Amino acid sequence: MPNNTHRYRITVTPIEDDGLQCNGRCTIEFEHACHDDWMRILEKLQRQRGLSGDERAALVVGTKLLSGLMLDHRKDADDLFAPLRPHMGEFIASLKERGRDAG
């Protein structure tokens, strides 16, 4: 693993109807490594209009997780992500452009 790799622990815990966290075996938790600093990306998106703070965080985490998986499996013989690849590239380029425009 390169020295510039950032490691993240992602935890997803449902919130019950009463507003409390659920009890028992209801948490999804996993680790993910990425060359990008998600905190810096999120800081850049703070100026992005039209999204709440939670939505911006979800956008960064979701996009980085999906694009990381796509990158890791790009050479697979039966690349599951092949149909999505060109669209994801366009989306990320558009997102980066918006980030530059918002500054």
Side-chain angles (χ1 to χ4, degrees):
M1 218 183 290
N3 289 338
N4 62 348
T5 298
H6 300 271
R7 292 179 56 207
Y8 301 95
R9 179 181 312 276
I10 292 88
T11 304
V12 179
T13 305
I15 299 173
E16 299 293 335
D17 291 339
D18 59 7
L20 299 174
Q21 291 185 356
C22 68
N23 293 315
R25 295 178 47 188
C26 57
T27 297
I28 301 168
E29 185 171 277
F30 60 96
E31 291 189 17
H32 183 78
C34 181
H35 66 276
D36 291 319
D37 182 339
W38 294 1
M39 303 311 168
R40 283 193 180 221
I41 294 170
L42 187 57
E43 287 171 4
K44 289 180 183 179
L45 277 180
Q46 291 302 321
R47 295 181 297 267
Q48 179 66 45
R49 293 183 178 181
L51 297 175
S52 71
D54 283 351
E55 289 172 328
R56 285 190 293 268
L59 177 63
V60 169
V61 172
T63 301
K64 296 313 296 179
L65 286 172
L66 182 57
S67 63
L69 283 171
M70 291 174 67
L71 185 63
D72 290 347
H73 293 277
R74 69 187 179 279
K75 295 180 181 178
D76 290 359
D78 61 340
D79 181 6
L80 174 67
F81 303 102
L84 185 58
R85 198 171 301 285
H87 305 288
M88 188 66 161
E90 289 176 25
F91 175 73
I92 290 173
S94 172
L95 193 59
K96 286 179 179 179
E97 186 64 34
R98 284 175 174 239
R100 282 191 285 273
D101 290 347

